[in-house]
Amino acid sequence: CSPLVRAVQTAQILAEPYGLTPIPAEALIECDIGRWEGQDWQSIRYFDAAAYREFMADPAANGYPDGESFREVHDRAAPFFESLLRRHDGQSILVVSHRIVNRVYLSSLLGVPLLQAREVLLDNCGISVVRREDGKTSVNMLNASFHLQGVAA
């Protein structure tokens, strides 16, 4: 899981019934959004218009100002995911991470260019299933949220 508290807590809730202990991994930490931390998109669009336009045009090349680009997130997270899948070949594992980290990794598996990774829609607590078989990694399920039906926001 990501080392951020909300991810560790979620992983603990999911692991406890199986007697497992989550293992935090820095590679899964949420994207650093730099100077835009705590700001809403409307304010960013108004007060940092040039950087906003560059980011929206290509977040893989033009990352969050003073933060990470989608390419940088992918370059730290994807090798970790692939290593994890290789190490646990033939086993089921659960990874608790964050929207941008998951989005850029899944977009690469789906053949979606990183500059369009925002098009891969992921809900909070949505489940995606990735499978590695015969050396090939693929997405078997994307953003399932059936388990959230009837849960109040």
Side-chain angles (χ1 to χ4, degrees):
C1 64
S2 161
L4 295 183
V5 172
R6 64 187 185 265
V8 172
Q9 289 173 337
T10 300
Q12 287 171 332
I13 290 167
L14 297 168
E16 185 178 348
Y18 303 98
L20 301 173
T21 302
I23 302 169
E26 287 295 322
L28 298 176
I29 201 164
E30 180 59 300
C31 177
D32 179 356
I33 62 170
R35 71 177 183 238
W36 290 352
E37 183 71 41
Q39 296 186 49
D40 61 71
W41 285 111
Q42 184 175 348
S43 298
I44 293 166
R45 190 174 25 241
Y46 181 77
F47 292 109
D48 206 352
Y52 173 84
R53 281 191 303 276
E54 288 177 1
F55 174 79
M56 288 300 176
D58 187 352
N62 307 307
Y64 294 95
D66 303 324
E68 291 180 287
S69 69
F70 281 16
R71 169 62 57 203
E72 290 168 320
V73 173
H74 179 271
D75 289 351
R76 77 169 150 83
F80 177 80
F81 278 117
E82 291 300 316
S83 170
L84 196 60
L85 289 166
R86 279 193 304 276
R87 272 197 324 257
H88 295 280
D89 188 31
Q91 298 175 314
S92 296
I93 58 173
L94 173 71
V95 176
V96 178
S97 188
H98 305 280
R99 182 175 284 143
I100 295 172
V101 173
N102 295 339
R103 188 177 268 171
V104 298
Y105 178 63
L106 292 166
S107 69
S108 68
L109 294 178
L110 294 167
V112 174
L114 285 178
L115 71 99
Q116 295 175 320
R118 285 189 314 265
E119 304 298 321
V120 176
L121 302 178
L122 297 176
D123 295 318
N124 284 338
C125 299
I127 297 172
S128 296
V129 176
V130 173
R131 182 179 184 138
R132 184 168 180 84
E133 190 171 33
D134 298 326
K136 185 173 187 252
T137 306
S138 60
V139 178
N140 282 21
M141 181 169 52
L142 183 66
N143 194 38
S145 58
F146 54 86
H147 59 289
L148 301 174
Q149 292 176 357
V151 176

